[in-house]
């Protein structure tokens, strides 16, 4: 039974989460565009919002980009410059620093949201659930950094990298790649996919807008005509 549950959680559940993320986001954008927003409360306690939001967003951007680059870049592109141990150490240093900045910023945002009755009364339950899930996810991520200090040979890092690449490339039997991996890593992976799962139904959906903002770099100049 444990084997079947393990295979479902790490072999099937990730695809359910990713499918819901993509299809759910498309449906929401098509049918409920007026709900496609971050629901900012910047008029209330804007000082704490500015500090917490900047720390969180800059930190989380580095964390997310680091995950994509660290886990998805082909091995042949990395191996000439870094071996597995050095690659892991680099991920630990930069990921740990960015994660610490992000969790400090998110702690400020959570404190601001829960300590001010005006903000709390105007917050949906999903808003509070999402920020708490993100906080736990960051804490688990920092926990994996601490655990990684016990495995500096890079073997575990390569094992996790193979799993993530296996999910993206639809390799069969990928759940077996996580056999024997410490529980903290497994919880970090499961919670990450669960955040993907709930994103289309919460304020997290505005992440797509952040990605789409890259288009501003190549958009045509605005034409202003004089009378």
């Amino acid at each position: 039974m444990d084997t079947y549950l393990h295979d479902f959680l790490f072999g099937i559940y990730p695809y359910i989460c990713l499918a819901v993320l993509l299809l759910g986001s498309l449906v929401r954008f098509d049918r409920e565009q007026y709900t496609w927003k971050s629901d900012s409360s910047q008029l209330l306690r804007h000082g704490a919002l500015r500090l917490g939001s900047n720390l969180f967003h800059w930190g989380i951007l580095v964390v997310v980009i680091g995950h994509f680059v660290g886990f998805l870049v082909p091995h042949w592109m990395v191996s000439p410059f870094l071996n597995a141990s050095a690659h892991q150490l680099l991920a630990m240093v930069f990921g740990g620093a960015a994660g610490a900045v992000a969790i400090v910023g998110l702690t400020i945002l959570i404190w601001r949201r829960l300590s001010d009755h005006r903000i709390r009364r105007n917050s949906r339950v999903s808003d509070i659930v999402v920020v708490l899930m993100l906080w736990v996810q960051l804490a688990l991520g920092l926990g994996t950094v601490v655990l990684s200090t016990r495995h500096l040979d890079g073997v575990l890092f390569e094992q996790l990298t193979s799993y993530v690449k296996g999910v993206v490339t639809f390799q069969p039997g990928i759940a077996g790649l996580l056999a024997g991996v410490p529980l903290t890593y497994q919880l970090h992976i499961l919670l990450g996919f669960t955040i993907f799962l709930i994103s289309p139904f919460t304020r997290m959906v505005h992440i797509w807008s952040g990605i789409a903002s890259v288009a501003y770099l190549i958009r045509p100049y605005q034409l202003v005509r004089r009378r």
Side-chain angles (χ1 to χ4, degrees), residues 111-128:
W111 170 78
R112 170 183 172 272
R113 183 169 295 275
L114 297 182
S115 64
D116 192 312
H117 71 278
R118 298 170 300 171
I119 303 175
R120 189 170 63 252
R121 289 182 60 184
N122 286 281
S123 300
R124 300 185 182 92
V125 173
S126 61
D127 296 337
I128 298 174

Side-chain angles (χ1 to χ4, degrees), residues 29-164:
F29 183 78
D30 181 59
R31 301 185 61 180
E32 301 180 25
Q33 291 188 21
Y34 287 109
T35 69
W36 191 284
K37 55 184 180 177
S38 60
D39 290 330
S40 176
S41 56
Q42 65 185 56
L43 295 179
L44 302 174
R45 302 184 70 171
H46 59 275
L49 175 63
R50 185 186 304 111
L51 176 60
S53 182
N54 283 329
L55 290 174
F56 170 69
H57 282 94
W58 283 111
I60 204 68
L61 278 174
V62 174
V63 168
V64 171
I65 293 173
H67 275 65
F68 274 97
V69 173
F71 288 117
L72 297 179
V73 170
H75 179 70
W76 59 267
M77 293 181 63
V78 179
S79 56
F81 309 100
L82 297 170
N83 57 29
S85 179
H87 192 182
Q88 175 182 327
L89 185 60
L90 187 68
M92 289 168 58
V93 172
F94 284 95
V101 170
I103 201 170
V104 168
L106 189 56
T107 301
I108 294 173
L109 294 177
I110 293 174
W111 170 78
R112 170 183 172 272
R113 183 169 295 275
L114 297 182
S115 64
D116 192 312
H117 71 278
R118 298 170 300 171
I119 303 175
R120 189 170 63 252
R121 289 182 60 184
N122 286 281
S123 300
R124 300 185 182 92
V125 173
S126 61
D127 296 337
I128 298 174
V129 170
V130 163
V131 294
L132 292 177
M133 288 178 67
L134 289 172
W135 194 95
V136 173
Q137 179 69 343
L138 286 168
L140 287 171
L142 292 174
T144 63
V145 173
V146 175
L147 288 176
S148 294
T149 59
R150 307 175 186 175
H151 307 276
L152 293 176
D153 55 2
V155 175
L156 181 58
F157 182 78
E158 288 291 299
Q159 189 176 354
L160 295 170
T161 301
S162 298
Y163 172 75
V164 175

